[in-house]
Amino acid sequence: MRYGELIQYEPIETVIKLKDADKIDEAKRLVKSFVVSEGMADSIINICIPQLQFDETIDNKGIFIVGNYGTGKSHLMSVISAVAENKEMLDYISHEELKKEMGKIAGKFKVLRFDIGAVNTPLRNIITKEIEKDLARYGIEFYFPPIDKVTNNKEAFMEMMSKFEDKFPDKGYLIVVDELLDFLKARKEQELIRDLTFLREIGEITKSTRLRFMTGVQETLFDNPAFNAVAQTVLKMKDRFEQLIIKREDISYVVSQRLLKKNDRQKAWIRSHLEKFSPLYKSISSRIEEFVELYPIHPMFIEVFEKMFIVEKREVLKTISHLMRELLDKDVPEDEPGIISYDSYWKFLRDNPSLRAEPDIKRVVDKSVVVEDLIEHSFTRPQYKDAALRIVHALSVHRFTTGDIHTSVGITVENIKDDLCLYIKMPEIEEDFLITTIETIMKEIMKTLSWQYISYNPDNQQYYLDMVREGINYDAKIQEKAELLSDDTFNRYYFDLLIKVLDWNATLKQKNMRIWEYSLIWNEKNVKRYGYLFMGYPDERSTAQPPRDFYIYFLPPFVEANYNKKYILNGKEDEVFFEFINADEEIIEKIKKYAAAMELSELSSSDQKKIYEDKANGFQKDITKWIRDNVSKCFNVSYKGETQSIIYWLKGKTANYDTIKSYIDEAASSCLSLYFSEKYSEYPTFYTKITEANLNEVFKSAMNYLAGKKTETGKKVLQSFDLILGDDIVPENSKYANYFLNELYKLPPGKVLNREDIIENVNGEDIDKRFKLEVQWVVLLLCALVYSGDIILRIKNKVYDATTIDSLANMNVGELVDFDSFERPRDIPVRELKTLFTLLGLPSGLVNASLSKPEEAIRQMVSRSEELAKKVVTVNQFVVSNKTIWSKPVFDEFEIKNYKDLLNNFRDFLDSLKAFNTPGKLRNFKYAEEELKEKFKTLETVKNN
């Protein structure tokens, strides 16, 4: 069943248009239907008639008819102007005294009626243009001179009225204008001053001519705070106008008979429907017939309306008409009463701008709006949010029924239940459960409001909107603060947000400057490049020392249009610019509110500071989410004067950009790739990604690979420099290693190549002079040459050769990169090696062969030493086993210890020979002849025993 099927709806809601009175029949209807109270009759007789008549000489003035929307302002002006234009209209005035007094003006005027729309034309031009058109209807040709051709307007109006009176010697000219206030409020200050001055001139003209001027305004102009800026001009105008203010009148309405008529069948259906809910609501059970007559309007709607001190009582007809029009095509809910109560009126109060001119109304409305917003965004029981908002609306409306908005009077939980017919879905219809649920909702409302704004009076168990305990409207303070902050402040906090959005915890390069050291992956080479990130303009670049490879700028968004463009168009090959674009008004507003909340948190006490910080965090969360959701389109990226979206610069790459920073980095790297390639033209391509975080780790992996601790990471690093063939380390295949080796061999024998000969410091970073390799990679290449026996490396005056590669691998990076020099290895020690081969039982001639074919000599040396080492181990095991012959031990304790030490030392010596397993390492053979002979005495001892 639809609501429209339950009532015979006849709306009582008319909008009077001033121009309708131009038509005789419509003018007659308006005069007939005008209801005149005693107060209104007195105002017309004592204010309007004296100023309009011209039979008696007085100081005539213009007239302002002041009344809110729906108070009958346009209707009143239509009636007065209709009678002034046509004497026959007097017959339709129902108030006898008013009829008699209006005879003084009846039929004595030609009337020009018009209203002013949303235009930006000066008031003078509007009125003079309308007058010119109107006079033309009567055959009077008159044109006002342009505004820049006159020194005042009175002379032109005097001339105009002279022509008018020539045509109509016994008539006055009444100009009636509606909707003036909205027009004036939209004017800029200087425009408004000219308009008000023109009104004053019109008011002055009425004193000396038969021109009369009447206009309708929703609020009084004379003490209106909207015109404080032009108060002196308003004061001058005030002397030339009288005001007729439409006051509140008590008018009784029988809503059930005029708006909500029903037949018996309709009433029966409604009664049956409501009886289902009567166990929940005492008001329905005790007043069922009244509920039926007024359905779907709650009787309390009208009762509360009659108690309200801020609205015309006849406004109830208009309000109910509006509500019913919205409801007619909707279905009556079967599982709830479907009743409209006085809480529904709140939206009409809240949205009526004219009511806010009264301070008390404004205070209540402002407070209620704050409460609504808090409930809307912070209420933690979403299933009860709609009910909570209805309760807040009811408390707000009720605040205007007590006569004093500060009194501790409100509504109880029972009132909320019955007077609103508040319904909460429940398994069974049970009044106690409903009451308990409403109590729960009230507690949640109070909690959400931090026990502010709404109070509870335990004496009468009533809740009320508390106008004494103001509380702090943090959102309003944030909004107010935001309106006072400068663009520079907004930019500063935008940059703060951006750092958080990037989820980047770098330390400022320079205190109090928005400059950070930054790095990007150069994708083509799989390595990091180092630069700076700026929040601001290139003018600050001089503060970034030393210079680096690139500069990323995030430009401020709160600047004049095209201000950033001059920097973008002059961008250099190492500069990338990011601009924040396409942000909707909501996000811009949240950035401003974030700035305001952060500013307020700095100035507040600890308790308030936490609240403002929480507010700021909320804004930050929303802004961050928006940027994450829109990162592909909310930044323009500019490089060398070309501006494109981030997506363009990613150039179809489908990598998983899981963070905002990854988008930023990839776009910047894409822009700078060609520049990096030109600057580092011979830089190697790494087979594993090298970052600032893992640089030392992968370097150590490569060093460990040289020392025999092989890993895939170490292998990939060495492969990047062509140091690996299969699994073998072959530096001669690397152009990088060969370069440093060739530089050494350009020197005479015995000379060394010092660190400073190949390394230079560029912008604070040590790199090689040829390839621009970081010093770590230079050290790795030199260590590979040490491994192959091609060079000897000197660090802190200590020499490292192929036999000490393990020591190099175990050194920390800082020591390695601070090497002193490197030099050629010594020649192969032929005499000493021949002695070794003889002692091993190998032909000494193999040493001569090793000069041309070293592999075979090395193989036999290593094989023979391993064979002897095994025998030594066997003998050692026999010695320490403490065997006995004829029940006596073979060796005493002293002999066991002596033999054990000799054998272990000899075995260690034999193991050390394995280290000389390359031709280069043979050059570093370190044992002298006498030392070798001494070592092999152990072998003789073993044989003799």
Side-chain angles (χ1 to χ4, degrees), residues 578-618:
F578 285 83
E579 280 186 292
F580 190 56
I581 61 167
N582 296 329
D584 55 36
E585 285 300 320
E586 182 180 355
I587 289 301
I588 293 297
E589 190 65 21
K590 284 183 177 180
I591 293 173
K592 291 181 177 181
K593 287 182 177 180
Y594 170 82
M598 292 298 291
E599 286 281 297
L600 288 168
S601 73
E602 294 295 323
L603 304 172
S604 302
S605 62
S606 57
D607 290 343
Q608 293 182 9
K609 182 182 183 72
K610 178 66 168 61
I611 293 173
Y612 284 122
E613 286 176 347
D614 288 344
K615 295 281 187 182
N617 289 337

Side-chain angles (χ1 to χ4, degrees), residues 662-820:
S662 63
Y663 274 92
I664 300 298
D665 289 357
E666 192 65 33
S669 178
S670 178
C671 291
L672 294 163
S673 177
L674 181 60
Y675 162 67
F676 289 156
S677 296
E678 292 172 351
K679 183 174 182 179
Y680 300 97
S681 58
E682 295 190 81
Y683 204 85
T685 300
F686 283 89
Y687 293 107
T688 188
K689 186 173 288 188
I690 309 296
T691 68
E692 193 171 15
N694 74 359
L695 175 60
N696 287 341
E697 180 184 343
V698 296
F699 171 77
K700 290 296 288 183
S701 294
M703 288 296 297
N704 286 333
Y705 198 98
L706 294 177
K709 300 174 184 177
K710 298 183 178 182
T711 63
E712 191 62 26
T713 299
K715 182 177 181 179
K716 286 182 177 179
V717 175
L718 294 173
Q719 284 176 326
S720 303
F721 292 97
D722 295 323
L723 293 168
I724 292 278
L725 183 62
D727 289 329
D728 298 328
I729 299 163
V730 240
E732 59 263 32
N733 288 341
S734 170
K735 73 173 182 179
Y736 305 101
N738 282 328
Y739 167 76
F740 295 116
L741 190 61
N742 291 338
E743 289 298 295
L744 174 63
Y745 277 82
K746 288 178 183 178
L747 301 176
K751 295 294 183 181
V752 303
L753 204 60
N754 293 312
R755 186 181 191 276
E756 56 268 25
D757 295 328
I758 61 171
I759 301 295
E760 64 180 344
N761 187 276
V762 178
N763 299 332
E765 184 177 14
D766 287 345
I767 60 174
D768 87 279
K769 296 178 180 179
R770 165 68 188 280
F771 304 109
K772 296 183 170 58
L773 296 172
E774 290 80 359
V775 66
Q776 289 96 325
W777 305 131
V778 175
V779 168
L780 179 62
L781 290 162
L782 295 180
C783 287
L785 291 171
V786 170
Y787 171 89
S788 63
D790 291 311
I791 66 169
I792 294 172
L793 188 64
R794 189 178 297 274
I795 302 175
K796 293 184 178 178
N797 290 321
K798 185 176 180 180
V799 171
Y800 294 88
D801 57 30
T803 64
T804 54
I805 196 70
D806 286 346
S807 298
L808 287 173
N810 289 329
M811 291 177 69
N812 65 55
V813 179
E815 291 178 294
L816 285 169
V817 300
D818 200 28
F819 70 93
D820 300 322

Side-chain angles (χ1 to χ4, degrees), residues 628-673:
R628 280 179 180 154
D629 292 344
N630 296 275
V631 64
S632 62
K633 61 183 180 182
C634 71
F635 288 105
N636 263 350
V637 186
S638 301
Y639 180 64
K640 292 172 68 173
E642 181 182 2
T643 299
Q644 300 287 352
S645 67
I646 280 184
I647 294 300
Y648 171 86
W649 290 111
L650 296 183
K651 296 178 179 176
K653 294 179 182 176
T654 58
N656 181 23
Y657 303 115
D658 54 350
T659 65
I660 295 172
K661 186 175 183 296
S662 63
Y663 274 92
I664 300 298
D665 289 357
E666 192 65 33
S669 178
S670 178
C671 291
L672 294 163
S673 177

